[in-house]
Amino acid sequence: MTKGDKKRQKIFEKYRDNLNLLIENSLIEETKELFICPICLEKHADITSDNPLTLEDAPPKSLGGKANTLTCKKCNNTCGHQIDFHLTERLRELDNAKFPNNSETKVRIKIGNETFNGKIKVENDGTMKMFHSKKNNHPEKLEEEMVELKAGTIVDLNFLKSRVIPEKLEYAILKSAYLLAFEKFGYSLILDKNFNIIREQLLNPEERLYPSGFWFTPPYPKELCGVYFICDKGLECLLAMFMLETEHSSRMFGAFLPLPINPIEEVVGKLNDKLNEEKEFKLSLYPMEQDEIDYIEDLENIKAMFRWLEQRAK
Ligand SMILES: [Zn+2]
């Protein structure tokens, strides 16, 4: 067994046992001894199959996330290509627009009447250099213009058109938030029908389903990262906050997720109305000590959570 296999097996057992615990205590109805892919809900009796369970990084590994959960290979691949790419690419663009040290940005350069493809490289000490290659440009035209180019000539720079699709960037934020909620609460919350909209959104990134205005950049310190309950009456939902870290920057993101109390469209709508009216308002978050409460194995905590959900749903 490789190190990766051991890790997969450990995560598999942790969430399988969580599912068993919930079933044994009649908190949910399901079949025992399974791991259910949080994205497509496919049931797995072990980590190997035609569509094996794979380590999933939430947030994406390239943005500082850790592989603490599993999704099936199909979901892992599809979401990676179709969704996560847009988030990593946007953060790269935001970084590069500031020309940080140790970076490389593709640009179009207009010299005279000709446009060439080039690269701007910023070195360790901040020195900025512009590169162009004969391979990516018309060699003769490039030669001609370069000969004419004198010191002090102003050249026009244009960034390449972004490949980022804004909606898909949002779905990537949604995916990371959702997987962090699964990591923390196991199966007690996500199997509820109020979460179907998230799974449908992640599996159908071409169609907008999840309400807009569900994410924001919280003005909080890094220590507040985690998944919280918003306990204000009528606004009950989950808030997942996490850092996205690149080589050059670090940003906090927050996303609202449903609870089995109110449909998420309603909650996000109300939260946005409130924000427009009041510009600033306080939300009651619970728990503030992220690591102190275990919702995977500790039956008393899980039961207390179910009691709270039931009371609020009335
Ligand atoms: Zn899946």
Side-chain angles (χ1 to χ4, degrees):
M1 234 190 195
T2 65
K3 213 178 146 197
D5 288 343
K6 272 187 198 148
K7 191 166 184 190
R8 286 195 299 142
Q9 185 62 30
K10 217 179 138 191
I11 299 174
F12 173 87
E13 287 170 13
K14 178 177 168 185
Y15 289 91
R16 178 202 60 194
D17 294 351
N18 166 256
L19 188 63
N20 286 347
L21 184 70
L22 296 167
I23 298 166
E24 283 157 14
N25 288 280
S26 314
L27 294 167
I28 59 171
E29 275 176 46
E30 250 309 327
T31 319
K32 282 175 78 173
E33 302 304 324
L34 294 172
F35 181 99
I36 303 174
C37 170
I39 295 178
C40 68
L41 300 187
E42 191 180 80
K43 297 175 181 186
H44 294 253
D46 50 54
I47 54 173
T48 50
S49 70
D50 291 347
N51 179 29
L53 292 169
T54 51
L55 288 171
E56 172 83 48
D57 308 282
K61 198 176 182 178
S62 58
L63 300 176
K66 290 200 176 74
N68 285 336
T69 183
L70 302 173
T71 55
C72 76
K73 192 178 177 189
K74 250 190 247 166
C75 289
N76 203 336
N77 286 347
T78 325
C79 290
H81 297 150
Q82 296 190 357
I83 301 178
D84 289 340
F85 161 80
H86 298 272
L87 181 59
T88 41
E89 180 70 5
R90 165 64 84 220
L91 293 179
R92 201 183 59 79
E93 287 174 359
L94 287 173
D95 284 350
N96 285 356
K98 292 183 194 149
F99 293 110
N101 291 357
N102 266 328
S103 69
E104 225 181 72
T105 311
K106 283 183 185 164
V107 289
R108 276 180 204 280
I109 311 153
K110 202 171 173 215
I111 309 171
N113 292 319
E114 300 294 336
T115 302
F116 301 104
N117 295 308
K119 238 191 266 173
I120 290 185
K121 232 176 170 167
V122 186
E123 297 185 344
N124 242 334
D125 59 358
T127 318
M128 213 185 249
K129 286 180 180 164
M130 192 153 70
F131 293 88
H132 47 72
S133 70
K134 285 188 179 169
K135 210 179 90 194
N136 293 319
N137 294 295
H138 193 295
E140 281 162 37
K141 280 184 184 166
L142 180 65
E143 197 79 40
E144 254 172 54
E145 293 295 342
M146 291 316 287
V147 171
E148 293 289 312
L149 193 64
K150 294 184 182 70
T153 312
I154 293 169
V155 294
D156 276 345
L157 279 187
N158 284 302
F159 290 101
L160 297 195
K161 198 167 173 279
S162 173
R163 288 182 294 165
V164 174
I165 300 170
E167 283 79 20
K168 294 195 178 175
L169 179 160
E170 292 191 46
Y171 307 155
I173 295 171
L174 179 65
K175 182 189 156 197
S176 288
Y178 172 63
L179 290 175
L180 289 170
F182 172 62
E183 190 189 321
K184 189 172 171 75
F185 297 102
Y187 291 106
S188 34
L189 298 175
I190 67 150
L191 294 178
D192 183 80
K193 62 178 186 331
N194 273 341
F195 276 85
N196 287 345
I197 187 171
I198 296 184
R199 291 182 279 268
E200 281 163 23
Q201 183 66 81
L202 299 180
L203 294 169
N204 304 293
E206 303 307 325
E207 195 188 335
R208 178 96 205 194
L209 300 168
Y210 208 66
S212 57
F214 76 88
W215 68 277
F216 65 112
T217 47
Y220 305 139
K222 205 174 171 169
E223 292 67 43
L224 242 79
C225 282
V227 189
Y228 299 88
F229 292 97
I230 291 184
C231 307
D232 303 73
K233 196 94 187 114
L235 298 176
E236 292 94 343
C237 65
L238 287 178
L239 169 59
M241 294 193 282
F242 51 91
M243 298 302 296
L244 295 180
E245 324 241 4
T246 69
E247 198 191 328
H248 304 291
S249 67
S250 171
R251 296 179 178 86
M252 196 193 236
F253 284 81
F256 299 113
L257 303 171
L259 276 177
I261 300 177
N262 314 302
I264 192 66
E265 298 90 329
E266 250 178 66
V267 179
V268 169
K270 279 187 202 166
L271 282 164
N272 281 285
D273 289 348
K274 222 168 142 74
L275 192 65
N276 287 336
E277 278 163 30
E278 299 169 37
K279 295 291 169 216
E280 213 176 73
F281 61 95
K282 280 206 173 91
L283 291 169
S284 335
L285 302 184
Y286 176 86
M288 288 311 281
E289 302 293 334
Q290 280 293 309
D291 300 325
E292 289 193 356
I293 304 182
D294 167 69
Y295 290 101
I296 301 289
E297 293 169 6
D298 191 324
L299 187 59
E300 286 319 304
N301 283 336
I302 299 172
K303 279 185 173 170
M305 174 173 74
F306 272 88
R307 278 196 299 273
W308 179 74
L309 292 171
E310 214 173 287
Q311 272 171 13
R312 285 300 172 99
K314 272 179 196 162

